[in-house]
Amino acid sequence: MDIIGLVPSFGGMAWTIIAFIVAILVIVAVHEYGHYIVGRWSGIHAEVFSIGFGPVIWSRIDKRGTRWQLAALPFGGYVRFLGDSSAASGKDGALISQLSPEERRHTMHGAPLWARAATVAAGPAFNFIFAILVFAGFFLAYGVATDRPVVGALKPMPEATQSLQPGDLILAVDGQATPDLETYVAVGEKLPHQASFDYRIERAGVETTLTGPHPFPPIADAVQPRSAAMEAGIKVGDVVTTVDGTPVVAFQQLRDMVGESGGKTLHLQIWRDGTTIEADLTPRRADLPLEAGGFETRWLIGLSGGGGMFTPEIRTPGPWETLTLAVDRVWYIVKVSLASIWSMITGAISSCNMAGPIGMAEAMGDAARGGLEMFVQTLAMFSLGIGLMNLFPIPVLDGGHLVFHVWEAVTGKPPSDGAMRILMTTGLVLLLLLMVFAVTNDLFCP
């Protein structure tokens, strides 16, 4: 056996596992802290706040009597409140019966309905808040484009193809006026796939005409985790110059060629910092959401582009605009996720769109290799996914507990202990079946 040849694979696997564990720890800490802090504010005492399961590696007890601990198995966590029989928030009837009415008020099972419901809902809510804060941070750090088609920073391109300069105001492309950035994008997307166009610009107060490349050249603005492009080593900023020997001048042209491949392996020539790199990529089928609703099945290699040959002039959004943009981003992701789940249930799209823990680990590993920015954004996406999943009305999950609280609010009493045991067992079985299904997807889906 070639032991030395296994080292790169082992290194990649180790990096994937580390990235996945870090992601799980962050997401679980955010989720469980939501339960803990809202429970504390609501008068419910937390006995244990644990990151991980199994043997305890480190712990300390704070001034409120809560034990904070790290456990050996870093694949989850829990908050055990006073009166809980286990990490799953089962009821310790024997203990609760020995407590005074005042002490029972500080248990999860003896607190008012509003306090219990708020504590349960806080876990998923904090996952959503975390994602909103991450996206808001990126909007603040990188700004948003102004309304004018002004060249901000030029992206590296092959020599002798770029003639624009930072600060140029683009007045027209190929004879079509571009009074604002939105019109510039619309004009550029409809242009034919040719190598150069005339640009009428204003530079330092003087209008002039020059020749430049297609407004949206085949530049990799992002490389998606778990994609053919990521596996082939393509990096952000790479420019695809040919596909199977055919020159490529526009990102839409590249998208069309990949879409028409039928899954056949494509040979790409790529320009990177003045050198030419060759790569063979096999497109993969994927179901993508449409703006008008629904999905379309396409062949993809995992390159995101269409951002143009330059980054537009940017401005820093105000606090309210930043928050609004972040919330809009989260809301869009939630809508697409729910639509995807429903489409898988109805058979409209392939169930292979659901990834399990192996797929999540691979995605986090690829994101970590793509840099801190990609890792943090992927972390925010996963936080949203965990928060959304926990809201599903399945016993054992937070959504199931919220359904129990709704039942109590309507009927005036919680489900009986016997009914709770049956429902929790059923929920656990459903969750395990879902996990087996997801892992099967990871192992056998293309």
Side-chain angles (χ1 to χ4, degrees):
M1 179 181 291
D2 182 9
I3 300 296
I4 300 299
L6 291 177
V7 172
S9 298
F10 174 78
M13 182 182 299
W15 185 250
T16 293
I17 293 172
I18 291 171
F20 182 58
I21 289 175
V22 169
I24 289 296
L25 291 179
V26 171
I27 292 171
V28 167
V30 168
H31 183 93
E32 297 302 333
Y33 188 77
H35 289 315
Y36 162 77
I37 193 64
V38 173
R40 197 183 88 187
W41 292 341
S42 304
I44 302 173
H45 174 63
E47 292 192 312
V48 178
F49 185 108
S50 180
I51 299 298
F53 298 99
V56 176
I57 299 173
W58 170 90
S59 70
R60 76 174 185 88
I61 299 176
D62 67 16
K63 63 182 181 181
R64 294 182 177 85
T66 300
R67 179 183 296 277
W68 298 76
Q69 65 183 38
L70 291 175
L73 302 177
F75 300 109
Y78 61 91
V79 177
R80 193 180 76 225
F81 293 102
L82 178 64
D84 290 348
S85 61
S86 65
S89 297
K91 183 178 180 181
D92 187 342
L95 173 64
I96 292 176
S97 66
Q98 298 174 7
L99 300 177
S100 67
E102 182 179 345
E103 290 172 326
R104 278 199 293 271
R105 167 60 182 83
H106 298 297
T107 69
M108 187 64 167
H109 305 277
L113 178 59
W114 68 264
R116 286 179 277 139
T119 301
V120 169
F126 268 53
N127 285 128
F128 280 76
I129 292 170
F130 174 77
I132 290 171
L133 292 177
V134 168
F135 292 140
F138 278 104
F139 283 123
L140 282 175
Y142 294 99
V144 295
T146 64
D147 295 332
R148 304 189 309 159
V150 176
V151 178
L154 291 165
K155 299 176 183 178
M157 294 273 291
E159 294 180 4
T161 62
Q162 186 61 275
S163 54
L164 294 171
Q165 296 179 8
D168 288 348
L169 171 62
I170 300 176
L171 303 175
V173 181
D174 196 35
Q176 303 178 63
T178 55
D180 52 46
L181 186 60
E182 183 178 357
T183 305
Y184 169 78
V185 171
V187 168
E189 289 177 343
K190 294 178 182 178
L191 290 175
H193 300 157
Q194 64 187 55
S196 63
F197 296 90
D198 288 334
Y199 287 78
R200 184 162 59 88
I201 67 167
E202 179 183 312
R203 178 180 295 171
V206 178
E207 290 190 17
T208 186
T209 300
L210 47 79
T211 301
H214 193 286
F216 298 101
I219 300 176
D221 292 326
V223 182
Q224 302 303 321
R226 300 187 71 206
S227 67
M230 177 70 75
E231 292 177 2
I234 296 179
K235 299 180 179 180
V236 172
D238 285 353
V239 182
V240 179
T241 55
T242 69
V243 174
D244 287 342
T246 301
V248 181
V249 297
F251 192 86
Q252 183 59 51
Q253 181 187 8
L254 172 63
R255 182 182 289 126
D256 292 343
M257 297 173 78
V258 172
E260 294 166 2
S261 69
K264 178 179 69 71
T265 299
L266 302 173
H267 181 75
L268 276 61
Q269 281 194 343
I270 298 161
W271 180 91
R272 179 188 296 167
D273 298 329
T275 62
T276 298
I277 300 170
E278 299 191 5
D280 292 323
L281 285 79
T282 303
R284 300 170 182 175
R285 292 176 66 96
D287 297 302
L288 302 179
L290 298 171
E291 290 186 8
F295 292 81
E296 65 172 346
T297 301
R298 284 172 37 195
W299 293 98
L300 302 174
I301 58 175
L303 288 184
S304 298
M309 59 180 163
F310 61 85
T311 55
E313 178 185 57
I314 63 171
R315 60 180 177 80
T316 301
W320 179 251
E321 183 183 8
T322 299
L323 181 61
T324 300
L325 290 170
V327 170
D328 287 344
R329 173 75 62 83
V330 167
W331 177 238
Y332 173 76
I333 295 171
V334 169
K335 287 194 300 182
V336 170
S337 299
L338 291 175
S340 299
I341 293 169
W342 178 249
S343 296
M344 282 187 282
I345 292 173
T346 59
I349 64 175
S350 171
S351 60
C352 284
N353 286 278
M354 176 182 290
I358 298 174
M360 292 174 63
E362 291 176 347
M364 288 309 309
D366 285 349
R369 282 185 284 272
L372 181 61
E373 178 180 340
M374 181 182 290
F375 179 78
V376 173
Q377 290 201 32
T378 305
L379 188 62
M381 297 278 286
F382 276 25
S383 181
L384 275 178
I386 295 297
L388 186 61
M389 184 188 74
N390 268 277
L391 287 176
F392 290 169
I394 299 175
V396 177
L397 298 180
D398 294 327
H401 286 285
L402 290 174
V403 171
F404 299 151
H405 294 328
V406 171
W407 171 271
E408 183 177 349
V410 172
T411 64
K413 59 182 180 179
S416 67
D417 291 344
M420 285 292 292
R421 282 193 293 271
I422 294 173
L423 289 170
M424 295 293 280
T425 301
T426 302
L428 182 60
V429 170
L430 288 174
L431 206 58
L432 291 174
L433 290 175
L434 183 63
M435 181 64 69
V436 170
F437 177 75
V439 171
T440 302
N441 278 357
D442 289 339
L443 296 175
F444 299 108
C445 281

